[in-house]
Amino acid sequence: AVIWDTATGARTQELPHSGPVGCGDVFPDGERVVTCAGEAKRIIWNVTSGERLHVLSPPEHHPNDSRFGFLQRSVSVFPTGDRVLVWGSEEWATIWNASSGKAICELSAHAAPISSIAFFPGGDRVVTGGLDRRAFIWNASTCEVLHKLVDAAWMLE
């Protein structure tokens, strides 16, 4: 991944990965970024120094699963900048503490891969949508399901 100065267009930092970078997000403070690449690792970087601050690896009980025919690995930084949500091509997502690099909890209720996420303003809740035609609203601190939204037309088929 490459960091560019948006004012000058100059290349300011190169962040080495062992494979192509598939996604990334910027922290609200502008001092850190998180990237992901084919090695299924998400890395939090210091933008100025290029230092790896944390490597977020998939939990051992969740292998790098490509049985769905694609590898969509995604990261999203919470609006508060204190946590990172890692998701894509699995039925679960993980919330990580951005300061410690430790997993906080998992969002695990989908029957098919998660295909989209969104944060509520303030970062207290997360919504996930999946290929199972369901959406869940989660408490972002406890990872408890607050609401399950189901495609009613699909349920009638």
Side-chain angles (χ1 to χ4, degrees):
V2 176
I3 305 290
W4 301 89
D5 184 311
T6 57
T8 66
R11 184 182 187 141
T12 62
Q13 195 66 250
E14 186 166 338
L15 309 174
H17 274 278
S18 61
V21 176
C23 65
D25 202 0
V26 179
F27 283 80
D29 62 11
E31 299 295 321
R32 298 168 293 163
V33 296
V34 59
T35 59
C36 59
E39 69 264 20
K41 290 180 186 167
R42 284 61 164 200
I43 302 172
I44 299 175
W45 306 86
N46 177 297
V47 171
T48 305
S49 69
E51 176 188 5
R52 285 182 183 211
L53 301 174
H54 300 290
V55 176
L56 314 177
S57 297
E60 289 181 19
H61 62 280
H62 289 300
N64 189 7
D65 190 351
S66 61
R67 65 191 154 120
F68 295 100
F70 62 96
L71 272 172
Q72 176 190 349
R73 304 287 183 205
S74 300
V75 292
S76 299
V77 175
F78 273 71
T80 51
D82 61 338
R83 292 167 285 172
V84 174
L85 181 61
V86 174
W87 58 283
S89 82
E90 299 96 2
E91 302 88 13
W92 51 274
T94 305
I95 297 176
W96 297 82
N97 180 303
S99 295
S100 70
K102 305 273 188 223
I104 296 172
C105 58
E106 287 186 5
L107 311 177
S108 182
H110 284 279
I114 294 172
S115 56
S116 62
I117 67 101
F119 298 107
F120 280 74
D124 61 331
R125 291 170 288 165
V126 176
V127 62
T128 58
L131 298 180
D132 57 1
R133 301 176 90 170
R134 298 178 191 170
F136 293 92
I137 298 174
W138 306 84
N139 176 312
S141 297
T142 64
C143 287
E144 292 179 72
V145 173
L146 300 174
H147 301 285
K148 176 182 172 182
L149 311 170
V150 179
D151 180 347
W154 171 72
M155 294 295 289
L156 297 174
E157 291 178 357

Coordinates of all heavy atoms in Angstrom, one line a residue, residues 31-83:
E31 N -3.8 9.7 11.6 CA -2.5 9.3 11.9 C -2.2 7.8 11.7 O -1.1 7.3 11.7 CB -2.2 9.6 13.4 CG -2.3 11.0 13.8 CD -1.2 11.8 13.1 OE1 0.0 11.4 13.0 OE2 -1.5 13.0 12.7
R32 N -3.3 7.0 11.5 CA -3.2 5.6 11.3 C -4.1 5.2 10.1 O -5.1 5.8 9.8 CB -3.6 4.8 12.5 CG -2.8 5.1 13.8 CD -3.4 4.6 15.0 NE -4.7 5.3 15.3 CZ -5.6 4.9 16.1 NH1 -5.5 3.8 16.8 NH2 -6.7 5.7 16.4
V33 N -3.7 4.1 9.5 CA -4.5 3.4 8.5 C -4.5 1.9 8.8 O -3.6 1.4 9.5 CB -4.0 3.6 7.0 CG1 -4.1 5.1 6.6 CG2 -2.6 3.0 6.9
V34 N -5.5 1.2 8.3 CA -5.5 -0.3 8.4 C -5.7 -0.8 7.0 O -6.4 -0.3 6.2 CB -6.7 -0.7 9.4 CG1 -8.0 -0.3 8.9 CG2 -6.6 -2.3 9.6
T35 N -4.9 -1.8 6.7 CA -4.9 -2.4 5.4 C -5.1 -3.9 5.5 O -4.9 -4.5 6.5 CB -3.6 -2.2 4.6 OG1 -2.5 -2.7 5.4 CG2 -3.4 -0.7 4.4
C36 N -5.5 -4.5 4.4 CA -5.6 -6.0 4.3 C -5.1 -6.4 3.0 O -5.2 -5.7 2.0 CB -7.0 -6.5 4.6 SG -8.3 -5.9 3.5
A37 N -4.6 -7.6 3.0 CA -4.0 -8.2 1.8 C -4.3 -9.7 1.7 O -4.9 -10.2 2.6 CB -2.5 -8.0 1.8
G38 N -3.8 -10.3 0.7 CA -4.1 -11.7 0.5 C -3.7 -12.7 1.6 O -4.2 -13.8 1.7
E39 N -2.8 -12.3 2.5 CA -2.4 -13.2 3.5 C -3.4 -13.2 4.7 O -3.1 -13.8 5.7 CB -1.0 -12.8 4.0 CG -1.0 -11.5 4.8 CD -0.5 -10.3 4.0 OE1 -0.6 -10.3 2.8 OE2 -0.1 -9.3 4.6
A40 N -4.6 -12.6 4.5 CA -5.6 -12.6 5.5 C -5.3 -12.0 6.8 O -5.8 -12.2 7.8 CB -6.2 -14.1 5.7
K41 N -4.3 -11.1 6.7 CA -3.9 -10.3 7.9 C -4.4 -8.8 7.6 O -4.3 -8.3 6.5 CB -2.4 -10.3 8.1 CG -1.9 -11.6 8.6 CD -0.4 -11.5 8.8 CE 0.2 -12.9 9.1 NZ 1.6 -12.9 9.0
R42 N -4.8 -8.2 8.7 CA -5.1 -6.8 8.6 C -4.0 -6.1 9.5 O -3.7 -6.6 10.6 CB -6.5 -6.5 9.2 CG -7.6 -6.8 8.3 CD -7.7 -8.3 8.0 NE -9.0 -8.7 7.4 CZ -9.4 -9.9 7.4 NH1 -8.6 -10.9 7.9 NH2 -10.5 -10.3 6.9
I43 N -3.5 -5.0 9.0 CA -2.4 -4.4 9.7 C -2.7 -2.9 9.9 O -3.2 -2.2 9.0 CB -1.1 -4.5 8.9 CG1 -0.7 -6.0 8.6 CG2 0.1 -3.8 9.6 CD1 0.4 -6.2 7.6
I44 N -2.6 -2.5 11.2 CA -2.7 -1.1 11.6 C -1.3 -0.5 11.5 O -0.4 -1.0 12.1 CB -3.3 -1.0 13.0 CG1 -4.7 -1.6 13.0 CG2 -3.4 0.5 13.3 CD1 -5.4 -1.6 14.4
W45 N -1.2 0.6 10.7 CA 0.0 1.3 10.5 C 0.0 2.7 11.0 O -1.0 3.4 11.0 CB 0.3 1.4 9.0 CG 0.2 0.1 8.2 CD1 -0.9 -0.4 7.7 CD2 1.3 -0.7 7.8 NE1 -0.5 -1.6 7.0 CE2 0.8 -1.7 7.0 CE3 2.7 -0.6 8.0 CZ2 1.6 -2.7 6.5 CZ3 3.5 -1.6 7.5 CH2 3.0 -2.6 6.7
N46 N 1.2 3.2 11.4 CA 1.4 4.6 11.7 C 1.7 5.2 10.3 O 2.6 4.8 9.6 CB 2.6 4.8 12.6 CG 2.9 6.3 12.9 OD1 3.3 7.0 11.9 ND2 2.8 6.7 14.1
V47 N 0.9 6.2 9.9 CA 1.0 6.8 8.6 C 2.4 7.6 8.4 O 3.0 7.5 7.3 CB -0.1 7.8 8.3 CG1 0.1 8.6 7.1 CG2 -1.5 7.1 8.3
T48 N 2.8 8.2 9.4 CA 4.1 9.1 9.3 C 5.3 8.2 9.3 O 6.1 8.4 8.4 CB 4.2 10.0 10.5 OG1 3.0 10.8 10.6 CG2 5.4 10.9 10.4
S49 N 5.4 7.2 10.2 CA 6.6 6.4 10.3 C 6.6 5.2 9.4 O 7.6 4.6 9.1 CB 6.9 6.0 11.7 OG 5.9 5.1 12.1
G50 N 5.4 4.7 9.0 CA 5.3 3.4 8.3 C 5.4 2.2 9.2 O 5.4 1.1 8.8
E51 N 5.4 2.4 10.5 CA 5.6 1.4 11.5 C 4.3 0.5 11.6 O 3.2 1.1 11.6 CB 5.9 2.0 12.9 CG 6.0 0.9 14.0 CD 6.1 1.6 15.4 OE1 6.0 2.8 15.5 OE2 6.2 0.8 16.3
R52 N 4.5 -0.8 11.6 CA 3.3 -1.7 11.9 C 3.0 -1.6 13.4 O 3.8 -1.9 14.2 CB 3.7 -3.1 11.6 CG 3.8 -3.5 10.2 CD 4.1 -5.0 10.0 NE 4.3 -5.3 8.6 CZ 4.0 -6.4 8.1 NH1 3.5 -7.4 8.9 NH2 4.1 -6.6 6.8
L53 N 1.8 -1.1 13.7 CA 1.4 -1.0 15.1 C 0.8 -2.3 15.6 O 1.1 -2.7 16.7 CB 0.4 0.1 15.3 CG 1.0 1.5 14.8 CD1 -0.1 2.6 14.9 CD2 2.2 1.9 15.7
H54 N 0.0 -2.9 14.8 CA -0.7 -4.2 15.2 C -1.0 -5.0 13.9 O -1.3 -4.5 12.9 CB -2.0 -4.0 15.9 CG -1.9 -3.2 17.1 ND1 -1.3 -3.6 18.3 CD2 -2.2 -1.9 17.4 CE1 -1.3 -2.7 19.2 NE2 -1.8 -1.6 18.7
V55 N -0.9 -6.3 14.1 CA -1.3 -7.3 13.0 C -2.5 -8.0 13.6 O -2.5 -8.6 14.6 CB -0.2 -8.3 12.7 CG1 -0.7 -9.3 11.6 CG2 1.0 -7.5 12.1
L56 N -3.6 -7.9 12.8 CA -4.9 -8.5 13.3 C -5.1 -9.8 12.4 O -5.4 -9.7 11.2 CB -6.1 -7.5 13.0 CG -5.9 -6.1 13.5 CD1 -7.1 -5.2 13.2 CD2 -5.6 -6.1 15.0
S57 N -4.8 -10.9 13.0 CA -4.9 -12.2 12.3 C -6.2 -12.9 12.6 O -6.7 -12.8 13.7 CB -3.7 -13.1 12.7 OG -2.5 -12.5 12.3
P58 N -6.7 -13.7 11.6 CA -8.0 -14.4 11.9 C -7.8 -15.3 13.1 O -6.7 -15.9 13.2 CB -8.2 -15.2 10.6 CG -7.4 -14.6 9.6 CD -6.2 -13.9 10.3
P59 N -8.8 -15.4 13.9 CA -8.7 -16.4 15.0 C -8.4 -17.8 14.5 O -8.9 -18.2 13.4 CB -10.1 -16.3 15.7 CG -10.6 -15.0 15.2 CD -10.1 -14.8 13.9
E60 N -7.7 -18.6 15.3 CA -7.4 -20.0 14.9 C -8.7 -20.8 14.6 O -8.6 -21.7 13.7 CB -6.6 -20.7 15.9 CG -5.2 -20.1 16.0 CD -4.3 -20.8 17.0 OE1 -4.7 -21.9 17.4 OE2 -3.3 -20.2 17.4
H61 N -9.7 -20.6 15.3 CA -11.0 -21.4 15.1 C -11.7 -21.0 13.9 O -12.7 -21.6 13.5 CB -11.9 -21.3 16.3 CG -12.4 -20.0 16.7 ND1 -11.6 -19.0 17.4 CD2 -13.6 -19.4 16.4 CE1 -12.3 -17.9 17.5 NE2 -13.5 -18.1 17.0
H62 N -11.2 -19.9 13.1 CA -11.8 -19.5 11.8 C -10.7 -19.6 10.8 O -9.9 -18.6 10.6 CB -12.4 -18.1 11.9 CG -13.6 -18.0 12.7 ND1 -14.8 -18.7 12.5 CD2 -13.9 -17.3 13.9 CE1 -15.7 -18.4 13.4 NE2 -15.1 -17.5 14.2
P63 N -10.6 -20.7 10.0 CA -9.6 -20.7 9.0 C -9.8 -19.7 7.9 O -10.9 -19.2 7.8 CB -9.7 -22.2 8.5 CG -11.1 -22.5 8.8 CD -11.5 -21.8 10.0
N64 N -8.8 -19.5 7.1 CA -9.0 -18.6 5.9 C -9.9 -19.3 4.9 O -9.4 -20.2 4.1 CB -7.6 -18.4 5.3 CG -7.6 -17.3 4.3 OD1 -8.6 -16.7 4.0 ND2 -6.5 -17.1 3.6
D65 N -11.2 -19.1 4.9 CA -12.2 -19.8 4.2 C -12.5 -19.2 2.9 O -12.9 -18.1 2.7 CB -13.5 -19.8 5.1 CG -14.5 -20.8 4.6 OD1 -14.3 -21.3 3.5 OD2 -15.5 -20.9 5.3
S66 N -12.2 -20.0 1.8 CA -12.5 -19.6 0.5 C -13.5 -20.5 -0.2 O -13.6 -20.5 -1.4 CB -11.2 -19.5 -0.4 OG -10.6 -20.8 -0.5
R67 N -14.3 -21.2 0.6 CA -15.2 -22.2 0.0 C -16.4 -21.5 -0.8 O -17.1 -22.2 -1.5 CB -15.8 -23.1 1.1 CG -16.7 -22.4 2.1 CD -17.0 -23.3 3.3 NE -17.2 -22.5 4.4 CZ -18.3 -22.5 5.1 NH1 -19.3 -23.3 4.8 NH2 -18.5 -21.8 6.1
F68 N -16.5 -20.2 -0.6 CA -17.6 -19.5 -1.3 C -17.1 -19.0 -2.7 O -17.9 -18.3 -3.4 CB -18.2 -18.4 -0.5 CG -18.9 -18.9 0.7 CD1 -18.2 -18.9 2.0 CD2 -20.1 -19.5 0.7 CE1 -18.8 -19.4 3.1 CE2 -20.8 -20.0 1.8 CZ -20.1 -19.9 3.0
G69 N -15.9 -19.3 -3.1 CA -15.4 -19.0 -4.4 C -14.9 -17.6 -4.6 O -14.5 -17.2 -5.7
F70 N -14.8 -16.9 -3.5 CA -14.1 -15.6 -3.6 C -13.5 -15.2 -2.2 O -13.9 -15.8 -1.2 CB -15.2 -14.5 -4.0 CG -16.3 -14.3 -3.0 CD1 -16.2 -13.3 -2.0 CD2 -17.4 -15.1 -3.0 CE1 -17.2 -13.2 -1.1 CE2 -18.4 -15.0 -2.1 CZ -18.3 -14.0 -1.1
L71 N -12.6 -14.3 -2.3 CA -12.0 -13.9 -1.0 C -12.1 -12.4 -0.9 O -11.4 -11.6 -1.4 CB -10.5 -14.2 -1.0 CG -10.1 -15.6 -0.5 CD1 -8.6 -15.9 -0.7 CD2 -10.5 -15.8 1.0
Q72 N -13.2 -12.0 -0.3 CA -13.4 -10.6 0.0 C -13.1 -10.3 1.4 O -13.8 -10.7 2.3 CB -14.9 -10.2 -0.3 CG -15.2 -8.8 0.1 CD -16.7 -8.5 0.0 OE1 -17.5 -9.3 -0.4 NE2 -17.1 -7.4 0.5
R73 N -12.0 -9.7 1.7 CA -11.5 -9.3 3.0 C -11.7 -7.8 3.2 O -11.2 -7.1 2.3 CB -10.1 -9.7 3.2 CG -9.8 -11.2 2.9 CD -10.4 -12.0 4.0 NE -10.1 -13.4 3.8 CZ -10.8 -14.4 4.2 NH1 -11.9 -14.2 4.9 NH2 -10.4 -15.7 4.0
S74 N -12.3 -7.4 4.2 CA -12.6 -6.0 4.4 C -12.3 -5.6 5.8 O -12.4 -6.3 6.7 CB -14.1 -5.7 4.1 OG -14.4 -6.1 2.7
V75 N -12.0 -4.3 5.9 CA -11.8 -3.6 7.2 C -12.6 -2.3 7.2 O -12.7 -1.6 6.2 CB -10.3 -3.4 7.5 CG1 -9.6 -4.7 7.7 CG2 -9.7 -2.5 6.5
S76 N -13.1 -2.0 8.4 CA -13.8 -0.7 8.6 C -13.4 -0.2 9.9 O -13.5 -0.9 10.9 CB -15.3 -0.8 8.4 OG -15.6 -1.3 7.1
V77 N -13.0 1.1 10.0 CA -12.7 1.7 11.3 C -13.9 2.3 11.8 O -14.7 3.0 11.1 CB -11.6 2.8 11.1 CG1 -11.3 3.6 12.4 CG2 -10.3 2.2 10.5
F78 N -14.2 2.1 13.1 CA -15.3 2.7 13.8 C -15.2 4.2 13.7 O -14.1 4.8 13.7 CB -15.4 2.3 15.3 CG -16.1 1.0 15.5 CD1 -15.5 -0.2 15.1 CD2 -17.3 1.0 16.2 CE1 -16.1 -1.4 15.4 CE2 -18.0 -0.2 16.4 CZ -17.4 -1.4 16.0
P79 N -16.4 4.9 13.7 CA -16.3 6.4 13.6 C -15.6 7.0 14.8 O -15.0 8.1 14.7 CB -17.8 6.8 13.7 CG -18.6 5.6 13.4 CD -17.7 4.4 13.7
T80 N -15.5 6.3 15.9 CA -14.8 6.8 17.1 C -13.3 6.6 17.0 O -12.5 7.1 17.8 CB -15.4 6.1 18.4 OG1 -15.3 4.7 18.1 CG2 -16.8 6.5 18.7
G81 N -12.9 5.7 16.1 CA -11.4 5.4 15.9 C -10.8 4.5 16.9 O -9.7 4.2 16.9
D82 N -11.6 4.0 17.8 CA -11.1 3.1 18.9 C -11.2 1.6 18.6 O -10.5 0.8 19.2 CB -11.8 3.4 20.2 CG -13.3 3.1 20.2 OD1 -13.9 3.1 19.0 OD2 -13.9 2.8 21.2
R83 N -11.9 1.3 17.5 CA -12.1 -0.1 17.1 C -12.0 -0.3 15.6 O -12.3 0.6 14.9 CB -13.4 -0.7 17.7 CG -13.4 -0.8 19.2 CD -14.8 -1.0 19.8 NE -15.5 0.3 19.7 CZ -16.8 0.4 19.9 NH1 -17.5 -0.6 20.3 NH2 -17.4 1.6 19.8

